[in-house]
Amino acid sequence: MLILMAALAFPLISRAQMPQDEGAKTRLMWVPQYLFNSGMRFEVDRKLNEEIWIVVSPTIYYKDTPDIWLYGNSNIYGRKGISAEAWLKWYPEQQSRKRNYIMAGGGYTLSQRKRFAERWQGYLEDGLLFYRYDESYWNTTTHAFALRVAAGRHIFEDRNFLIDAYLGLGIRFASTSRPSGFIYNDPQPTTLDQDYSGVIGVAGLRLGLQW
């Protein structure tokens, strides 16, 4: 009888001694909206404690066809580049199942764009400076730094799958270099362009795996 009682009690004792499930500690997320900017972005989330996560976000940009008038700049005939960002994500909620978060961080982007547009080339003739019209392909190189703050929420969460969305604001500082010796007649960049400097919007959707 004692042997039978011990056999029945052993699973309960063992379960009580096992550590509780602490939830996911790592996430691998895909950010699909970067496809509209010819980019492929993944984010790796790592849990530091119950409230703080660190996020590392590498992105690759590549396109060898012209942009379309509906989205993008029709004078751009290709682009390539890389970027890396790091975020700290804070979950202020006290309950065990945390859904809302605030994140802040920044990063660096290096991009190159192939353009076909108007420009004027200066040249000297008999000691006089003249300009001639030129319309050809040329490349721009942009270095950009950005700082961003956003708030987000888990839209759907399963044991090993997560979808979340975020919205916020940021500021970007960009510097663009182009072939020298020309006068360029470029339109002002918009917030969607990588060579834009100023206040930018931060919005997106993420989906991926967690464990």
Side-chain angles (χ1 to χ4, degrees):
M1 185 65 179
L2 292 176
I3 296 176
L4 179 60
M5 292 177 62
L8 293 174
F10 180 76
L12 299 176
I13 297 174
S14 300
R15 181 174 299 179
Q17 292 177 345
M18 291 177 61
Q20 297 294 320
D21 184 10
E22 298 180 355
K25 294 183 178 180
T26 304
R27 297 174 181 141
L28 178 60
M29 309 295 290
W30 177 48
V31 191
Q33 67 268 16
Y34 277 78
L35 293 175
F36 291 103
N37 202 22
S38 308
M40 181 64 68
R41 180 185 180 100
F42 291 94
E43 299 189 350
V44 180
D45 301 11
R46 183 64 181 173
K47 185 177 182 180
L48 299 181
N49 55 47
E50 291 301 320
E51 297 179 350
I52 305 296
W53 290 64
I54 187 171
V55 182
V56 179
S57 309
T59 309
I60 297 176
Y61 300 93
Y62 183 79
K63 185 180 182 181
D64 60 357
T65 56
D67 284 359
I68 60 175
W69 67 270
L70 183 63
Y71 184 85
N73 189 327
S74 59
N75 291 328
I76 296 177
Y77 279 69
R79 68 182 73 216
K80 57 184 176 181
I82 57 172
S83 73
E85 295 184 2
W87 303 74
L88 279 179
K89 183 182 292 186
W90 172 50
Y91 289 85
E93 298 168 297
Q94 298 300 317
Q95 59 263 35
S96 58
R97 192 174 184 86
K98 303 178 185 295
R99 293 184 177 274
N100 303 300
Y101 61 83
I102 299 171
M103 61 182 185
Y108 166 75
T109 299
L110 170 63
S111 63
Q112 186 178 74
R113 297 183 298 173
K114 181 180 180 181
R115 306 196 63 174
F116 184 82
E118 302 174 359
R119 59 183 182 174
W120 292 89
Q121 182 179 20
Y123 66 97
L124 288 174
E125 185 174 311
D126 297 330
L128 299 175
L129 178 62
F130 294 88
Y131 289 92
R132 57 190 170 200
Y133 175 77
D134 176 77
E135 189 175 34
S136 60
Y137 292 102
W138 39 279
N139 292 320
T140 66
T141 300
T142 300
H143 301 268
F145 296 88
L147 299 173
R148 306 180 184 183
V149 177
R153 179 176 174 83
H154 294 186
I155 300 174
F156 173 83
E157 184 174 4
D158 198 1
R159 181 178 180 85
N160 297 113
F161 184 73
L162 174 66
I163 299 176
D164 68 32
Y166 56 87
L167 180 67
L169 290 173
I171 185 169
R172 181 191 292 141
F173 307 92
S175 174
T176 299
S177 61
R178 299 175 288 192
S180 60
F182 295 88
I183 297 177
Y184 296 91
N185 184 24
D186 290 340
Q188 290 295 321
T190 67
T191 56
L192 298 177
D193 294 321
Q194 292 175 332
D195 57 347
Y196 171 83
S197 292
V199 177
I200 56 176
V202 180
L205 181 76
R206 308 189 320 154
L207 60 145
L209 303 176
Q210 60 180 4
W211 60 91

